[in-house]
């Protein structure tokens, strides 16, 4: 059966209407939102849907993250060009830069929720200041990617939306800056090519091993042995390639996995800590609070809308 694309409708994200952006058949719609200066945050939960259309064209930068539910099938078009579709699970992120459009459709779980953060273009221009004048930064769209720093920043923003206070604006704006800085770094716009990093094949293999980690401890020695290099060489080359030490990268992935499990499972914090490779539940609680600003239990409570 041929999927017919409807004409693109312009959606002003800072006046966001979830029924405009992601039209679908649903029984209920819970929509919570807040605005802090040049940043707007929307959290939407729907039930009773399997298929939804997506139409985003925004004068600012847009981040959308799946909080709950999986989109298993669909089509994606960026600026009218079809791109390959990959299943989008809890924690999957979409970034649509200012001036780009994302359209398409997806089918998946009947119950789903997502977080949308829209940032005015002027906010980014003021943030980068002189650097933007000396080197033009063109951020590419990215559909369905995973990145620990981006996810943590979005989750912190979601927490502020749940329980705002007089200083929420400062927190939201600081996290919005982190989002934009990380997208610039991921794009390589300000990255000078350096020698001495891992080959693309070795880097991919190392990240795959880290991504597959579970309860067992993944050591630096195991990663280095897999690639046939010394621990010293691996540690130096990995940081050269990613900008992070192996330890920091692994810790980030563990927190990323644990936050997803807190949102999507009923496992206890202790069970999640063991599943994600933390030495103890207390170690997990300390690391989680440092990353997200709240305890795992409080994080789970605030994620339920």
């Amino acid at each position: 059966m041929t999927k017919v694309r409807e004409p693109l409708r312009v959606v002003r994200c800072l006046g966001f209407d979830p029924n405009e952006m992601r039209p679908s058949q649903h029984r209920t719609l819970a929509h919570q939102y807040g605005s802090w200066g040049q940043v707007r945050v929307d959290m939407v939960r729907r039930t009773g849907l399997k298929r939804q259309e997506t139409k985003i064209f925004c004068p600012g930068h847009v981040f959308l993250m799946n909080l709950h539910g999986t989109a298993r099938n669909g089509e994606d078009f960026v600026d009218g060009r079809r791109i390959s579709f990959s299943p989008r699970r809890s924690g999957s992120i979409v970034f649509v830069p200012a001036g780009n459009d994302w359209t398409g459709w997806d089918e998946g779980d009947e119950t789903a929720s997502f977080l949308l953060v829209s940032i005015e273009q002027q906010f980014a221009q003021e943030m980068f200041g002189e650097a933007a004048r000396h080197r033009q930064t063109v951020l590419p769209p990215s559909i369905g990617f995973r990145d620990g720093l981006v996810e943590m920043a979005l989750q912190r923003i979601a927490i502020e939306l749940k329980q705002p206070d007089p200083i929420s604006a400062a927190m939201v704006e600081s996290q919005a800056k982190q989002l934009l800085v990380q997208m610039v770094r991921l794009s390589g716009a300000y990255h000078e090519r350096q020698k001495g990093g891992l080959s693309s094949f070795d880097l991919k293999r190392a990240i795959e091993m880290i991504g597959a980690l579970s309860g067992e401890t993944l050591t630096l020695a195991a990663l280095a042995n897999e690639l046939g290099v010394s621990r010293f060489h691996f540690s130096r080359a990995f940081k050269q390639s990613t900008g992070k030490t192996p330890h920091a990268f692994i810790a980030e992935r563990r927190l990323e996995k644990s936050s997803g499990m807190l949102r999507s499972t009923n496992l206890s914090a202790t069970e999640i800590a063991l599943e994600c490779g933390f030495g103890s539940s207390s170690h997990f609680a300390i690391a989680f609070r440092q990353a997200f600003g709240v305890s795992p239990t409080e994080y789970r409570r605030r994620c339920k809308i």
Side-chain angles (χ1 to χ4, degrees):
M1 180 178 177
T2 302
K3 309 294 185 184
V4 179
R5 293 182 65 211
E6 299 178 11
L8 175 68
R9 284 178 286 178
V10 175
V11 178
R12 296 291 180 181
C13 296
L14 295 178
F16 172 74
D17 179 352
N19 290 307
E20 284 285 313
M21 192 200 79
R22 310 203 85 180
S24 61
Q25 297 297 321
H26 59 272
R27 290 193 300 270
T28 62
L29 170 66
H31 180 201
Q32 185 177 5
Y33 64 91
S35 293
W36 291 274
Q38 300 180 82
V39 182
R40 171 165 173 137
V41 184
D42 293 83
M43 190 180 297
V44 177
R45 184 184 183 193
R46 297 181 175 191
T47 63
L49 71 116
K50 288 187 177 180
R51 175 189 169 106
Q52 61 184 355
E53 306 288 331
T54 299
K55 301 177 178 69
I56 291 182
F57 178 83
C58 185
H61 301 291
V62 176
F63 291 85
L64 184 146
M65 182 170 69
N66 275 19
L67 297 174
H68 177 73
T70 298
R72 296 180 176 82
N73 306 295
E75 291 181 310
D76 287 316
F77 299 84
V78 175
D79 296 334
R81 299 187 303 275
R82 183 174 180 174
I83 62 174
S84 60
F85 180 89
S86 298
R88 292 192 285 270
R89 299 177 176 82
S90 175
S92 180
I93 301 162
V94 170
F95 173 63
V96 184
N100 294 96
D101 66 72
W102 170 41
T103 63
W105 62 272
D106 59 65
E107 295 175 335
D109 294 343
E110 291 191 2
T111 299
S113 60
F114 63 88
L115 177 76
L116 184 138
V117 176
S118 50
I119 305 170
E120 291 186 12
Q121 190 171 17
Q122 184 180 353
F123 181 90
Q125 293 171 340
E126 293 172 351
M127 183 184 74
F128 288 111
E130 286 297 323
R133 295 189 182 94
H134 293 295
R135 181 180 299 189
Q136 185 178 9
T137 302
V138 179
L139 296 175
S142 187
I143 311 298
F145 71 100
R146 298 296 298 264
D147 181 80
L149 288 178
V150 173
E151 182 174 352
M152 287 182 191
L154 290 171
Q155 291 293 355
R156 280 182 172 267
I157 290 174
I159 289 171
E160 294 302 318
L161 178 63
K162 287 284 191 178
Q163 295 187 342
D165 59 34
I167 59 173
S168 286
M171 174 61 79
V172 170
E173 290 184 352
S174 70
Q175 298 304 315
K177 290 179 180 179
Q178 289 197 45
L179 289 171
L180 293 173
V181 167
Q182 182 66 354
M183 294 312 299
V184 169
R185 286 179 169 170
L186 291 174
S187 74
Y190 287 82
H191 179 66
E192 300 295 338
R193 187 172 182 179
Q194 296 177 324
K195 296 180 180 180
L198 295 171
S199 69
S200 58
F201 178 84
D202 285 346
L203 179 61
K204 180 180 179 182
R205 176 61 185 146
I207 291 176
E208 285 175 347
M209 288 182 66
I210 293 171
L213 63 84
S214 57
E216 68 271 9
T217 301
L218 183 64
T219 65
L220 186 62
L223 288 166
N225 289 338
E226 177 67 22
L227 304 186
V229 297
S230 69
R231 286 183 295 175
F232 174 79
H233 174 79
F234 173 78
S235 182
R236 179 185 59 79
F238 188 90
K239 185 175 182 180
Q240 194 85 1
S241 298
T242 65
K244 305 181 184 75
T245 66
H247 176 76
F249 193 91
I250 291 171
E252 184 179 289
R253 287 297 181 269
R254 283 176 172 155
L255 288 167
E256 179 184 294
K257 181 178 179 180
S258 67
S259 66
M261 293 181 71
L262 286 167
R263 293 194 306 271
S264 60
T265 76
N266 292 320
L267 294 175
S268 68
T270 299
E271 291 171 320
I272 291 174
L274 295 175
E275 176 65 23
C276 295
F278 290 92
S280 65
S281 58
S282 60
H283 175 211
F284 170 51
I286 293 170
F288 197 92
R289 183 178 288 278
Q290 288 175 340
F292 291 96
V294 295
S295 69
T297 303
E298 178 66 9
Y299 174 86
R300 170 176 273 169
R301 188 185 69 79
R302 293 186 184 186
C303 283
K304 292 181 179 180
I305 60 175

